[in-house]
Amino acid sequence: MTAPDPDGLLAEQLLRLTRRVHRIQKRHLERRELGITPAQSRLLRTLAHYGSPPRMADLAERLEVVPRAVTTLVDGLEAHGKVRRVPDPANRRVIRIELTDEGRETLRELRAARRAAASEILAPLGEREREQLGELLNTLVDGPSGPPCEEGATQRPGGRDS
């Protein structure tokens, strides 16, 4: 008989939660009939973090995708009036991507859909449990930035492998 694998169980729970979050967010997006895909919504959210319109290459790097994928996403968003391509004032060969007014409105709707989805997901938790979850998630998100551990090896506090 094999011993239970608590880390394997946690990994499976995280994957199941991630899939549930995506499903619920997708449902909330569809209810609002925004006409955009989850990938397009991610691009809109990313655009909102820039102080000035970024280049496609900047978006591809931030989204960790190939530039061709950004082109496809921008094409779809531009066709629906959410973004527009604008020439770079310093180098007319460079194209930058900016949100339109309709894109900003869509972004507000996206945020509302995400808040509704989060509310649904977090409904079973009380205030203190939500605070604890937030702290735990911050720890995981901001975790060690070193190279990933080899398969089967775990890192103990203090830097020793087990």
Side-chain angles (χ1 to χ4, degrees), residues 37-64:
T37 67
Q40 289 172 329
S41 83
R42 184 172 174 233
L43 188 136
L44 286 176
R45 290 190 320 271
T46 301
L47 263 175
H49 290 288
Y50 283 93
S52 62
R55 299 173 307 137
M56 294 256 224
D58 299 329
L59 288 168
E61 185 177 327
R62 174 85 56 95
L63 293 168
E64 297 179 347

Side-chain angles (χ1 to χ4, degrees), residues 18-150:
T18 299
R19 286 191 298 266
R20 182 168 184 251
V21 167
H22 285 286
R23 239 184 359 263
I24 291 170
Q25 284 184 342
K26 185 177 178 184
R27 188 177 73 238
H28 281 271
L29 283 176
E30 289 169 351
R31 280 184 189 159
R32 290 173 184 269
E33 298 179 0
L34 299 174
I36 62 171
T37 67
Q40 289 172 329
S41 83
R42 184 172 174 233
L43 188 136
L44 286 176
R45 290 190 320 271
T46 301
L47 263 175
H49 290 288
Y50 283 93
S52 62
R55 299 173 307 137
M56 294 256 224
D58 299 329
L59 288 168
E61 185 177 327
R62 174 85 56 95
L63 293 168
E64 297 179 347
V65 299
V66 296
R68 176 72 193 122
V70 171
T71 300
T72 301
L73 293 172
V74 168
D75 287 347
L77 288 168
E78 188 175 39
H80 288 96
K82 314 284 187 204
V83 301
R84 70 177 144 253
R85 289 173 165 93
V86 294
D88 184 304
N91 182 350
R92 65 186 177 91
R93 292 175 296 162
V94 174
I95 299 297
R96 296 191 174 266
I97 308 303
E98 71 178 8
L99 284 168
T100 62
D101 289 341
E102 188 174 336
R104 280 186 273 285
E105 178 57 34
T106 299
L107 202 49
R108 283 189 284 280
E109 288 289 324
L110 286 170
R111 288 180 181 133
R114 289 181 71 140
R115 279 192 305 277
S119 185
E120 181 179 335
I121 291 163
L122 298 172
L125 303 179
E127 186 177 334
R128 181 63 193 136
E129 290 168 316
R130 288 176 187 215
E131 288 173 14
Q132 290 172 327
L133 178 61
E135 291 168 10
L136 291 170
L137 290 173
N138 281 336
T139 299
L140 293 175
V141 169
D142 300 333
S145 59
C149 296
E150 291 181 24

